[in-house]
Amino acid sequence: MQDYDLVIRGGTVATASDAFRADIAVTGGRIVALGERLGRGAREIVAEGRLILPGGIDSHCHIEEPPVGEVENADSFETATASAAAGGTTTVISFVQQAKGSGITAGLRDYQRKAARALVDYSFHLVVTDASEAVLAELPPLIAEGHRSLKIFMTYPNLVLDDDHILRVLALARQTGALVTVHAENHAAIMYLTRALEAAGLTRPRHHAWAKPMAVEREACHRIIMLAELLDVPIQIFHVSGAEAAEEIRRAQQRGLRVFGETCPQYLMLTADDLDRPGFEGAKFLCSPAPRTPEDQVALWDHLRLGTLGIVSSDHAPNRFDDRHGKKVRGEDAPFSAIPNGVPGLATRLPVLFSEGVGKGRIDLATFVALTATNPARLFGLAPRKGTIAIGADADLAIWDPGRKVTIRNAMLHHGVDYTVYEGLEVTGWPVTTLSRGVVVSDEDRVTGRPGHGRFLARGPYEAIRPRNRHVTPFDAVEGRLSGAAPAGAGAKG
Ligand code: URP
Ligand code: ZN
Ligand code: ZN
């Protein structure tokens, strides 16, 4: 007679606060007991000498998005989530795109059909590319259905929102209870610099970083923080690339604003020099914002420790390299502005951060768990079901061999992309077995999960997006909630 479906025995359980030796018992896909010498499981996994971490939550991945012109997203939900599982990640949040000028719902329904092939659990951010009356009317039922985060872009020709439309989205988020996530770069400045550089013949991949210097990111961070402050709504700024942008976020946090920051391994590992590799190689490393300097990397580690940046996601952008539907869509002599942006990273996010962060003493293990699982679960409304190891939580677990040395090769990553920016990098520490709701989905680099196992995670209203009204804003007057006090910064009584 077995007491549990599964018992994982003798490992060191690590959470965002503690690490302790315990057996983990799982029944019905959930953790039902943590303790010493637990009873028998129908299946047992011996985890002596291993760390057991909450499965990673990757809250920023581009998966199976519709083609943009001739550029095709190289990952299906099947390949992307196989890659996630192999890298210790058990939940992904990807993007439903609104084609500018049309609605969101039809695209969402189509995307849900594709996501049904996922090997691990998933949720979506809704990308708003124009805040027309029709789109704003479409959103509240979709948010109520469980899509509690919106994504807006402050740059890219087909995606950019101006400040007026940004304010409309922020107001809707405040009224409906959704988190707005932001790609923050100054569009006009980028377009101007791009035209000027290309007219001067400065068109190689390295010039991408010249067209997108830190100042354009810093300004956009400052502006989106101001816009969110006017309405007193929380925001998350995606892929912070260096010191100046992080400092904007830190200042906002010190002023009591709910501004959350994310960075990605590429900004901790790459610099603008990588864009200058010989031939067209630099295109592999081309992403937005652009990789910066070694000093920026040091600053980002500082801000991870300080908590300014609370999440490390992959920003997995699966553009193949040697492919006319990927980085080479316009050939190797194309100007940098024609090269698809982004780097793949679903499988490598955790091992690279573990090795470079925990292994090299830059962050401790609890911070690693917080950055990769617990914080994204809390910020995106997946806690307490996801992101920690606790009784009642889903048994989403990554069993790590903390001493295993692995040289990263693209062939071991299970994604649909033909390269990794970490080819040849030796890491110490590797997720050897990954479980999603108690089911082994990856074991010793073999993906064992099956398409369709992954479930959609609907997100209800949650703590991080609860209206707070700490600051009296002009919007309180609009909503008829001002009782004599003038809005913050407005001077005289209203
Ligand atoms: O370069 C990047 N980051 N590409 C993916 C799309 C985005 O901006 O997040
Ligand atoms: Zn972005
Ligand atoms: Zn992205």
Side-chain angles (χ1 to χ4, degrees):
M1 175 67 188
Q2 277 88 30
D3 303 293
Y4 308 107
D5 292 349
L6 166 72
V7 175
I8 303 169
R9 236 175 249 293
T12 297
V13 175
T15 71
S17 57
D18 306 296
F20 51 92
R21 212 180 133 92
D23 301 340
I24 301 177
V26 177
T27 291
R30 291 186 315 125
I31 298 169
V32 293
L34 290 166
E36 295 175 339
R37 290 181 293 281
L38 293 181
R40 291 217 326 237
R43 176 170 187 191
E44 302 239 344
I45 296 177
V46 178
E48 299 283 340
R50 306 284 202 232
L51 290 174
I52 307 178
L53 272 48
I57 297 177
D58 198 335
S59 50
H60 183 171
C61 350
H62 300 274
I63 300 174
E64 208 165 341
E65 291 179 359
V68 179
E70 288 172 64
V71 178
E72 290 170 6
N73 189 298
D75 266 321
S76 62
F77 267 89
E78 205 169 320
T79 56
T81 56
S83 189
T89 287
T90 50
T91 299
V92 295
I93 311 183
S94 60
F95 297 92
V96 176
Q97 298 287 339
Q98 178 211 353
K100 233 183 175 81
S102 12
I104 297 184
T105 310
L108 167 62
R109 300 297 171 230
D110 188 43
Y111 200 61
Q112 283 171 316
R113 277 189 288 278
K114 293 176 177 164
R117 300 280 300 162
L119 278 65
V120 301
D121 292 351
Y122 54 90
S123 202
F124 306 137
H125 308 294
L126 305 180
V127 179
V128 181
T129 58
D130 69 60
S132 64
E133 291 299 321
V135 169
L136 293 178
E138 223 185 326
L139 283 170
L142 301 182
I143 291 169
E145 191 179 300
H147 311 290
R148 288 267 157 200
S149 41
L150 308 175
K151 161 90 182 275
I152 59 172
F153 287 89
M154 298 173 80
T155 189
Y156 291 136
N158 295 322
L159 303 172
V160 59
L161 291 190
D162 64 18
D163 290 358
D164 174 50
H165 277 218
I166 290 174
L167 283 163
R168 295 175 197 211
V169 174
L170 292 170
L172 179 104
R174 172 177 162 127
Q175 284 152 353
T176 52
L179 183 74
V180 176
T181 62
V182 189
H183 178 125
E185 292 186 288
N186 181 306
H187 183 61
I190 291 169
M191 297 313 286
Y192 180 85
L193 287 172
T194 299
R195 278 192 304 272
L197 287 163
E198 293 188 351
L202 302 169
T203 61
R204 302 304 297 159
R206 74 190 161 109
H207 299 119
H208 170 78
W210 299 19
K212 299 189 150 206
M214 177 50 94
V216 304
E217 187 182 348
R218 185 192 67 223
E219 184 280 332
C221 286
H222 185 88
R223 182 158 37 100
I224 189 65
I225 289 168
M226 177 274 290
L227 296 172
E229 180 181 355
L230 293 182
L231 276 66
D232 192 19
V233 279
I235 53 168
Q236 192 220 25
I237 299 181
F238 274 138
H239 44 45
V240 171
S241 70
E244 292 181 26
E247 284 157 12
E248 291 293 335
I249 296 173
R250 182 123 193 109
R251 257 194 299 282
Q253 291 168 344
Q254 284 167 340
R255 289 170 48 231
L257 302 177
R258 289 175 295 170
V259 177
F260 301 92
E262 169 213 84
T263 192
C264 315
Q266 50 271 36
Y267 299 109
L268 299 165
M269 298 296 292
L270 308 180
T271 68
D273 285 349
D274 287 301
L275 296 169
D276 202 16
R277 298 214 189 182
F280 195 61
E281 271 302 286
K284 286 182 178 172
F285 305 84
L286 188 150
C287 55
S288 289
R292 308 285 182 205
T293 65
E295 292 74 28
D296 283 297
Q297 295 177 340
V298 171
L300 290 177
W301 286 109
D302 286 343
H303 285 289
L304 290 175
R305 280 188 298 274
L306 285 167
T308 317
L309 305 172
I311 292 180
V312 176
S313 73
S314 69
D315 192 6
H316 180 75
N319 300 303
R320 288 171 60 83
F321 176 65
D322 199 10
D323 195 315
R324 301 302 286 208
H325 299 287
K327 296 274 185 186
K328 295 188 182 172
V329 63
R330 297 260 310 274
E332 298 197 20
D333 293 322
F336 63 83
S337 62
I339 301 169
N341 283 207
V343 303
L346 257 168
T348 48
R349 176 182 70 124
L350 297 180
V352 169
L353 188 71
F354 185 91
S355 183
E356 293 290 321
V358 182
K360 296 193 175 170
R362 291 168 165 136
I363 53 173
D364 61 19
L365 184 57
T367 304
F368 175 83
V369 173
L371 293 169
T372 57
T374 313
N375 291 350
R378 289 190 181 144
L379 187 61
F380 291 105
L382 298 168
R385 180 173 167 195
K386 302 288 189 188
T388 193
I389 298 178
I391 292 171
D394 283 353
D396 287 3
L397 303 166
I399 304 177
W400 285 68
D401 179 345
R404 186 174 297 188
K405 290 195 185 309
V406 174
T407 301
I408 293 178
R409 300 285 174 215
N410 190 58
M412 63 177 60
L413 302 181
H414 299 276
H415 57 195
V417 193
D418 56 352
Y419 81 98
T420 166
V421 295
Y422 305 113
E423 187 73 33
L425 177 74
E426 188 186 81
V427 291
T428 305
W430 195 254
V432 287
T433 306
T434 307
L435 296 99
S436 163
R437 284 180 275 107
V439 174
V440 174
V441 288
S442 173
D443 192 37
E444 295 289 353
D445 297 329
R446 222 167 36 85
V447 173
T448 52
R450 80 185 154 70
H453 168 81
R455 289 191 194 146
F456 171 65
L457 300 167
R459 294 174 284 137
Y462 58 95
E463 178 56 29
I465 52 172
R466 232 160 23 94
R468 201 180 49 159
N469 290 313
R470 181 174 179 279
H471 299 275
V472 180
T473 75
F475 214 67
D476 291 296
V478 175
E479 292 177 343
R481 283 194 278 102
L482 267 194
S483 55
K493 267 186 178 291

